[in-house]
Amino acid sequence: MAPKGSKSKGKARKQMKFVVKCGAPVDDEIFDIASFEKFLHDRIKVNGKAGQLGESVSIERDTSNVTVTVKGIQFSKRYIKYLTKKFLKKQQLRDYIRVISDSKNAYDLRYFNINNEEAEEEAE
């Protein structure tokens, strides 16, 4: 039998960054990135408590991006998408903007492509 190697039971979680790119809606001034940042700050749950991010989660924004940095806790990218969609619904923008995965750790807010549907209807 091969000797058992020493395995650590809990591996150290490294820092992860999730980015939500809000370029097009922010440029058209229908999306307020400051209120989105505040919404994320108030709604992200850490250890079952919303709004108490502590040092494990930090949220930063620049002109058209919101970056959520997570250290030491388990956090899923899907949770960011869920909260983004919830914010869009609250702002009544869910019918016009969709959340698309841009890369491994990023989402992009894009408009639904309504022009193609209208052109197809006119062609018929």
Side-chain angles (χ1 to χ4, degrees):
M1 289 184 94
K4 293 183 180 180
S6 62
K7 293 183 180 179
S8 61
K9 291 191 178 192
K11 57 181 177 181
R13 291 183 169 86
K14 54 186 170 185
Q15 179 176 340
M16 297 185 305
K17 281 189 174 185
F18 301 101
V19 180
V20 180
K21 300 174 186 173
C22 314
V26 169
D27 292 342
D28 293 340
E29 297 178 0
I30 64 166
F31 189 85
D32 185 20
I33 199 160
S35 63
F36 179 55
E37 179 191 21
K38 184 177 181 340
F39 179 84
L40 287 177
H41 186 277
D42 294 341
R43 297 292 174 102
I44 289 179
K45 286 186 178 182
V46 177
N47 296 328
K49 296 178 183 176
Q52 299 178 1
L53 303 181
E55 294 183 12
S56 56
V57 178
S58 64
I59 303 171
E60 299 122 23
R61 72 179 149 110
D62 55 3
T63 56
S64 64
N65 294 337
V66 174
T67 305
V68 179
T69 307
V70 182
K71 300 178 210 168
I73 62 170
Q74 186 175 5
F75 202 84
S76 70
K77 180 182 167 190
R78 182 85 178 118
Y79 186 52
I80 299 292
K81 183 175 184 176
Y82 165 76
L83 289 174
T84 304
K85 289 168 81 172
K86 195 168 188 173
F87 177 78
L88 290 173
K89 184 70 174 175
K90 182 180 174 187
Q91 299 295 320
Q92 298 174 347
L93 295 172
R94 184 76 182 99
D95 295 334
Y96 310 106
I97 299 174
R98 61 186 183 162
V99 183
I100 299 176
S101 179
D102 198 20
S103 66
K104 184 178 177 185
N105 290 331
Y107 282 114
D108 192 12
L109 299 185
R110 295 186 190 163
Y111 292 110
F112 280 110
N113 211 352
I114 299 172
N115 295 335
N116 289 345
E117 293 174 7
E118 291 175 1
E120 290 175 7
E121 289 175 6
E122 291 174 5
E124 293 177 354

